Amino acid sequence: MALTNALHDRIMREYDEIQFRHLRERDDRREKVYAAIPEMSELDAAAASLALKKARALLYPESEADLDLSAELAGIEKKRTALLASHGWPASYLETEYDCPVCKDTGYADGKKCTCFLQKEIDLLYENSNLQDLSEEKGFSSFSLSYYSEEGSPSPREEAERALAAAEGYVRTFGREDAVRNLCFYGNVGLGKTFLSRCIAKELLAKGRSVLYLPSYTLFEQLGGYHFSNEQELKKELQESHDAVFSCDLLIIDDLGTELINSFTTSQLFLIMNERDLHKRATILSTNIPPAAFEDAFSERISSRLLGSYKLVHLSGTDIRILKKLTGGN
Protein backbone atom coordinates (compact mmCIF):
# COMPACT_ATOMS: atom_id res chain seq x y z
CA MET A 1 0.00 0.00 0.00
CA ALA A 2 1.21 3.49 -0.78
CA LEU A 3 -0.39 5.04 2.30
CA THR A 4 0.49 4.15 5.85
CA ASN A 5 -2.40 3.35 8.17
CA ALA A 6 -1.97 6.74 9.82
CA LEU A 7 -2.29 8.60 6.51
CA HIS A 8 -5.24 6.45 5.41
CA ASP A 9 -6.99 7.21 8.70
CA ARG A 10 -6.27 10.89 8.18
CA ILE A 11 -8.12 10.83 4.85
CA MET A 12 -11.03 8.90 6.36
CA ARG A 13 -11.31 11.47 9.17
CA GLU A 14 -11.53 14.14 6.48
CA TYR A 15 -14.45 12.26 4.90
CA ASP A 16 -16.13 12.02 8.33
CA GLU A 17 -15.80 15.79 8.71
CA ILE A 18 -17.25 16.38 5.23
CA GLN A 19 -20.23 14.12 5.97
CA PHE A 20 -20.84 15.81 9.33
CA ARG A 21 -20.71 19.25 7.71
CA HIS A 22 -23.27 18.32 5.07
CA LEU A 23 -25.59 16.71 7.63
CA ARG A 24 -25.41 19.85 9.77
CA GLU A 25 -26.16 22.03 6.73
CA ARG A 26 -29.12 19.79 5.82
CA ASP A 27 -30.48 20.03 9.39
CA ASP A 28 -30.13 23.83 9.30
CA ARG A 29 -32.12 23.95 6.06
CA ARG A 30 -34.76 21.67 7.55
CA GLU A 31 -35.22 23.91 10.58
CA LYS A 32 -35.54 26.90 8.28
CA VAL A 33 -38.21 25.14 6.18
CA TYR A 34 -40.15 23.87 9.21
CA ALA A 35 -40.25 27.39 10.62
CA ALA A 36 -41.58 28.79 7.32
CA ILE A 37 -43.86 25.82 6.45
CA PRO A 38 -45.18 24.04 9.59
CA GLU A 39 -47.05 21.56 7.38
CA MET A 40 -43.71 20.25 6.07
CA SER A 41 -42.81 18.58 9.38
CA GLU A 42 -46.17 16.76 9.35
CA LEU A 43 -45.55 15.54 5.81
CA ASP A 44 -42.08 14.32 6.75
CA ALA A 45 -43.48 12.47 9.76
CA ALA A 46 -46.16 10.87 7.54
CA ALA A 47 -43.51 9.87 4.99
CA ALA A 48 -41.38 8.30 7.73
CA SER A 49 -44.38 6.33 8.99
CA LEU A 50 -45.17 5.08 5.48
CA ALA A 51 -41.53 4.11 4.96
CA LEU A 52 -41.75 1.88 8.04
CA LYS A 53 -44.95 0.33 6.73
CA LYS A 54 -43.28 -0.29 3.39
CA ALA A 55 -40.35 -2.00 5.08
CA ARG A 56 -42.75 -4.16 7.10
CA ALA A 57 -44.68 -5.01 3.95
CA LEU A 58 -41.50 -6.30 2.33
CA LEU A 59 -40.99 -8.64 5.29
CA TYR A 60 -44.66 -9.58 5.70
CA PRO A 61 -46.44 -8.96 2.37
CA GLU A 62 -49.84 -9.95 3.70
CA SER A 63 -49.79 -7.25 6.44
CA GLU A 64 -50.27 -4.32 4.03
CA ALA A 65 -52.01 -6.08 1.19
CA ASP A 66 -54.67 -3.40 0.71
CA LEU A 67 -52.31 -0.40 0.78
CA ASP A 68 -50.56 1.10 -2.23
CA LEU A 69 -47.66 2.46 -0.18
CA SER A 70 -45.62 3.59 -3.16
CA ALA A 71 -48.51 5.69 -4.44
CA GLU A 72 -49.02 7.28 -1.01
CA LEU A 73 -45.32 8.10 -0.69
CA ALA A 74 -45.35 9.62 -4.17
CA GLY A 75 -48.32 11.76 -3.18
CA ILE A 76 -46.52 13.07 -0.11
CA GLU A 77 -43.42 13.81 -2.12
CA LYS A 78 -45.51 15.75 -4.65
CA LYS A 79 -46.98 17.90 -1.85
CA ARG A 80 -43.52 18.52 -0.37
CA THR A 81 -42.13 19.60 -3.74
CA ALA A 82 -45.06 21.98 -4.28
CA LEU A 83 -44.65 23.55 -0.84
CA LEU A 84 -40.91 24.04 -1.34
CA ALA A 85 -41.48 25.57 -4.77
CA SER A 86 -44.07 27.98 -3.34
CA HIS A 87 -41.32 29.44 -1.13
CA GLY A 88 -38.71 29.50 -3.88
CA TRP A 89 -36.79 26.37 -2.82
CA PRO A 90 -35.84 23.50 -5.19
CA ALA A 91 -37.25 20.00 -4.70
CA SER A 92 -33.79 18.82 -3.49
CA TYR A 93 -33.50 21.53 -0.85
CA LEU A 94 -33.93 19.13 2.08
CA GLU A 95 -31.71 16.38 0.66
CA THR A 96 -28.15 15.78 1.83
CA GLU A 97 -25.56 17.35 -0.45
CA TYR A 98 -22.21 15.72 -1.28
CA ASP A 99 -18.80 16.97 -2.30
CA CYS A 100 -18.54 13.78 -4.36
CA PRO A 101 -21.88 12.35 -5.54
CA VAL A 102 -20.15 9.21 -6.83
CA CYS A 103 -19.11 7.86 -3.41
CA LYS A 104 -21.40 10.11 -1.33
CA ASP A 105 -18.33 11.32 0.59
CA THR A 106 -17.39 7.86 1.84
CA GLY A 107 -14.19 7.56 -0.25
CA TYR A 108 -15.25 4.25 -1.77
CA ALA A 109 -17.53 3.32 -4.67
CA ASP A 110 -18.32 -0.25 -5.76
CA GLY A 111 -15.84 -1.52 -3.19
CA LYS A 112 -12.94 0.46 -4.67
CA LYS A 113 -11.26 3.75 -3.86
CA CYS A 114 -13.21 6.58 -5.47
CA THR A 115 -11.41 8.99 -7.79
CA CYS A 116 -11.80 11.68 -5.11
CA PHE A 117 -10.00 9.41 -2.61
CA LEU A 118 -7.18 8.79 -5.08
CA GLN A 119 -6.76 12.55 -5.55
CA LYS A 120 -6.68 13.12 -1.80
CA GLU A 121 -4.15 10.31 -1.57
CA ILE A 122 -1.85 11.92 -4.13
CA ASP A 123 -2.22 15.36 -2.48
CA LEU A 124 -1.35 13.86 0.90
CA LEU A 125 1.60 11.93 -0.52
CA TYR A 126 2.96 15.18 -1.96
CA GLU A 127 2.41 16.90 1.39
CA ASN A 128 4.39 14.24 3.22
CA SER A 129 7.15 13.86 0.63
CA ASN A 130 8.98 17.15 1.38
CA LEU A 131 8.50 17.83 -2.34
CA GLN A 132 5.39 20.01 -2.33
CA ASP A 133 6.78 22.23 -5.10
CA LEU A 134 7.50 19.25 -7.35
CA SER A 135 4.21 19.35 -9.26
CA GLU A 136 5.33 22.60 -10.94
CA GLU A 137 8.42 21.02 -12.48
CA LYS A 138 8.41 19.59 -16.01
CA GLY A 139 10.30 16.42 -15.08
CA PHE A 140 12.42 14.29 -17.38
CA SER A 141 11.49 16.36 -20.46
CA SER A 142 13.47 19.31 -19.08
CA PHE A 143 16.66 17.30 -18.51
CA SER A 144 18.97 18.82 -21.12
CA LEU A 145 21.93 16.87 -22.45
CA SER A 146 23.38 20.03 -24.03
CA TYR A 147 25.19 20.88 -20.77
CA TYR A 148 27.34 17.75 -20.99
CA SER A 149 30.53 17.59 -23.04
CA GLU A 150 30.97 14.98 -25.74
CA GLU A 151 34.71 14.78 -25.16
CA GLY A 152 36.33 11.77 -23.54
CA SER A 153 35.44 8.11 -23.25
CA PRO A 154 33.00 7.69 -21.80
CA SER A 155 32.07 11.31 -22.30
CA PRO A 156 29.95 13.27 -19.80
CA ARG A 157 27.20 13.29 -22.45
CA GLU A 158 27.23 9.49 -22.70
CA GLU A 159 27.10 9.16 -18.91
CA ALA A 160 24.22 11.64 -18.73
CA GLU A 161 22.33 9.69 -21.40
CA ARG A 162 22.82 6.50 -19.39
CA ALA A 163 21.75 8.22 -16.18
CA LEU A 164 18.59 9.55 -17.82
CA ALA A 165 17.79 6.12 -19.25
CA ALA A 166 18.39 4.51 -15.85
CA ALA A 167 16.06 7.01 -14.14
CA GLU A 168 13.27 6.62 -16.70
CA GLY A 169 13.63 2.83 -16.62
CA TYR A 170 13.52 2.91 -12.83
CA VAL A 171 10.10 4.60 -12.93
CA ARG A 172 8.81 2.33 -15.68
CA THR A 173 9.65 -0.90 -13.82
CA PHE A 174 9.15 0.31 -10.24
CA GLY A 175 7.64 -2.33 -7.99
CA ARG A 176 8.37 -5.28 -10.25
CA GLU A 177 10.16 -8.26 -8.70
CA ASP A 178 12.86 -8.18 -11.38
CA ALA A 179 13.32 -4.41 -11.31
CA VAL A 180 16.25 -2.41 -9.95
CA ARG A 181 15.20 -1.44 -6.43
CA ASN A 182 18.05 0.83 -5.30
CA LEU A 183 19.97 3.53 -7.14
CA CYS A 184 23.00 5.59 -6.22
CA PHE A 185 23.72 8.70 -8.31
CA TYR A 186 27.28 9.86 -7.69
CA GLY A 187 29.59 12.49 -9.09
CA ASN A 188 30.68 16.06 -8.46
CA VAL A 189 28.28 18.85 -7.50
CA GLY A 190 25.86 20.41 -9.97
CA LEU A 191 25.63 17.54 -12.47
CA GLY A 192 21.96 16.59 -12.17
CA LYS A 193 21.93 13.94 -9.45
CA THR A 194 19.29 15.71 -7.37
CA PHE A 195 17.34 16.70 -10.48
CA LEU A 196 17.02 13.11 -11.70
CA SER A 197 16.03 11.95 -8.21
CA ARG A 198 13.27 14.58 -8.10
CA CYS A 199 12.09 13.54 -11.58
CA ILE A 200 11.72 9.98 -10.35
CA ALA A 201 9.84 11.20 -7.28
CA LYS A 202 7.48 13.29 -9.41
CA GLU A 203 6.56 10.36 -11.65
CA LEU A 204 6.02 7.93 -8.77
CA LEU A 205 4.00 10.39 -6.67
CA ALA A 206 1.69 10.89 -9.65
CA LYS A 207 1.17 7.12 -9.65
CA GLY A 208 0.14 7.15 -6.00
CA ARG A 209 3.41 5.83 -4.58
CA SER A 210 4.66 7.16 -1.25
CA VAL A 211 7.96 8.99 -1.63
CA LEU A 212 10.01 10.67 1.08
CA TYR A 213 12.76 13.06 0.01
CA LEU A 214 15.28 14.19 2.63
CA PRO A 215 18.65 15.93 2.37
CA SER A 216 21.02 13.82 4.44
CA TYR A 217 21.61 16.49 7.09
CA THR A 218 17.82 16.83 7.61
CA LEU A 219 17.40 13.06 7.82
CA PHE A 220 20.01 12.60 10.54
CA GLU A 221 18.91 15.73 12.39
CA GLN A 222 15.38 14.32 12.62
CA LEU A 223 16.63 10.88 13.63
CA GLY A 224 18.83 12.45 16.30
CA GLY A 225 15.89 14.41 17.67
CA TYR A 226 13.76 11.29 17.75
CA HIS A 227 16.35 9.13 19.52
CA PHE A 228 17.94 11.61 21.91
CA SER A 229 15.30 14.21 22.79
CA ASN A 230 13.87 14.07 26.31
CA GLU A 231 10.83 16.07 25.21
CA GLN A 232 8.00 13.59 24.71
CA GLU A 233 6.03 16.08 22.64
CA LEU A 234 8.92 16.44 20.18
CA LYS A 235 9.39 12.66 19.99
CA LYS A 236 5.68 12.32 19.26
CA GLU A 237 5.93 14.91 16.46
CA LEU A 238 8.91 13.09 14.95
CA GLN A 239 7.38 9.62 15.28
CA GLU A 240 5.51 9.74 11.97
CA SER A 241 8.51 11.04 10.00
CA HIS A 242 10.75 8.44 11.68
CA ASP A 243 8.37 5.63 10.72
CA ALA A 244 8.05 6.96 7.17
CA VAL A 245 11.81 6.62 6.64
CA PHE A 246 11.39 2.86 6.96
CA SER A 247 7.89 2.36 5.50
CA CYS A 248 7.58 4.65 2.45
CA ASP A 249 7.67 3.07 -1.02
CA LEU A 250 10.71 5.14 -2.01
CA LEU A 251 13.18 6.95 0.24
CA ILE A 252 15.49 9.50 -1.41
CA ILE A 253 18.51 10.60 0.62
CA ASP A 254 20.09 13.57 -1.13
CA ASP A 255 23.66 14.86 -0.76
CA LEU A 256 24.78 11.94 1.37
CA GLY A 257 28.13 12.74 2.96
CA THR A 258 27.44 16.43 3.57
CA GLU A 259 26.16 15.66 7.08
CA LEU A 260 28.45 15.32 10.08
CA ILE A 261 29.63 11.72 9.80
CA ASN A 262 29.93 9.99 13.16
CA SER A 263 29.07 6.67 14.78
CA PHE A 264 25.40 7.63 15.10
CA THR A 265 24.90 8.68 11.46
CA THR A 266 26.86 5.67 10.25
CA SER A 267 24.84 3.19 12.32
CA GLN A 268 21.54 4.83 11.32
CA LEU A 269 22.45 4.82 7.63
CA PHE A 270 23.27 1.11 7.75
CA LEU A 271 20.05 0.41 9.67
CA ILE A 272 18.00 2.26 7.05
CA MET A 273 19.70 0.56 4.10
CA ASN A 274 19.46 -2.86 5.72
CA GLU A 275 15.88 -2.63 6.96
CA ARG A 276 14.57 -1.25 3.68
CA ASP A 277 16.33 -4.01 1.75
CA LEU A 278 14.92 -6.69 4.06
CA HIS A 279 11.40 -5.39 3.44
CA LYS A 280 12.04 -4.88 -0.30
CA ARG A 281 11.53 -1.12 -0.17
CA ALA A 282 13.32 1.13 -2.62
CA THR A 283 16.04 3.66 -1.81
CA ILE A 284 17.84 6.27 -3.91
CA LEU A 285 21.06 7.91 -2.76
CA SER A 286 22.81 10.88 -4.31
CA THR A 287 26.33 11.71 -3.21
CA ASN A 288 29.54 13.45 -4.17
CA ILE A 289 31.52 10.59 -2.61
CA PRO A 290 32.73 7.95 -5.09
CA PRO A 291 31.82 4.36 -4.13
CA ALA A 292 35.49 3.48 -3.66
CA ALA A 293 35.68 6.02 -0.81
CA PHE A 294 32.52 4.87 0.94
CA GLU A 295 34.38 2.53 3.26
CA ASP A 296 36.66 5.33 4.45
CA ALA A 297 33.80 7.83 4.76
CA PHE A 298 31.29 5.54 6.45
CA SER A 299 32.11 1.89 7.13
CA GLU A 300 32.91 -1.40 5.47
CA ARG A 301 29.36 -2.63 6.09
CA ILE A 302 27.83 0.37 4.31
CA SER A 303 30.30 0.12 1.44
CA SER A 304 29.46 -3.57 1.04
CA ARG A 305 25.72 -2.88 1.11
CA LEU A 306 26.08 -0.10 -1.46
CA LEU A 307 28.19 -2.13 -3.88
CA GLY A 308 26.03 -5.23 -3.50
CA SER A 309 22.49 -3.83 -3.50
CA TYR A 310 22.61 -0.56 -5.47
CA LYS A 311 22.86 0.25 -9.14
CA LEU A 312 25.64 2.83 -9.38
CA VAL A 313 25.04 5.69 -11.83
CA HIS A 314 27.90 8.11 -12.47
CA LEU A 315 27.61 11.68 -13.72
CA SER A 316 30.59 13.79 -14.75
CA GLY A 317 31.31 17.13 -16.36
CA THR A 318 31.15 20.80 -15.41
CA ASP A 319 28.80 22.18 -12.74
CA ILE A 320 25.62 23.02 -14.67
CA ARG A 321 24.81 25.92 -12.34
CA ILE A 322 28.10 27.56 -13.34
CA LEU A 323 27.41 26.91 -17.02
CA LYS A 324 23.97 28.51 -16.67
CA LYS A 325 25.48 31.63 -15.12
CA LEU A 326 28.08 31.85 -17.85
CA THR A 327 25.34 31.65 -20.50
CA GLY A 328 23.00 34.07 -18.79
CA GLY A 329 20.69 31.36 -17.46
CA ASN A 330 20.08 29.74 -20.85
Side-chain angles (χ1 to χ4, degrees), residues 51 65 70 100 182 231 245-246 265 291 297 301:
S70 295
C100 178
N182 304 315
E231 297 180 28
V245 167
F246 295 93
T265 57
R301 291 194 307 169

Side-chain angles (χ1 to χ4, degrees), residues 224-279:
Y226 176 78
H227 285 285
F228 300 124
S229 176
N230 292 320
E231 297 180 28
Q232 292 305 310
E233 196 61 34
L234 177 60
K235 288 180 76 73
K236 187 176 179 181
E237 287 178 11
L238 292 173
Q239 179 74 57
E240 188 171 309
S241 59
H242 172 271
D243 293 348
V245 167
F246 295 93
S247 64
C248 63
D249 293 333
L250 171 62
L251 173 66
I252 299 175
I253 305 176
D254 196 25
D255 280 338
L256 187 63
T258 57
E259 74 285 354
L260 176 64
I261 301 175
N262 53 37
S263 59
F264 172 74
T265 57
T266 299
S267 63
Q268 287 297 300
L269 178 58
F270 179 76
L271 176 65
I272 291 167
M273 296 170 75
N274 191 56
E275 285 295 308
R276 291 187 62 81
D277 258 5
L278 285 174
H279 293 91

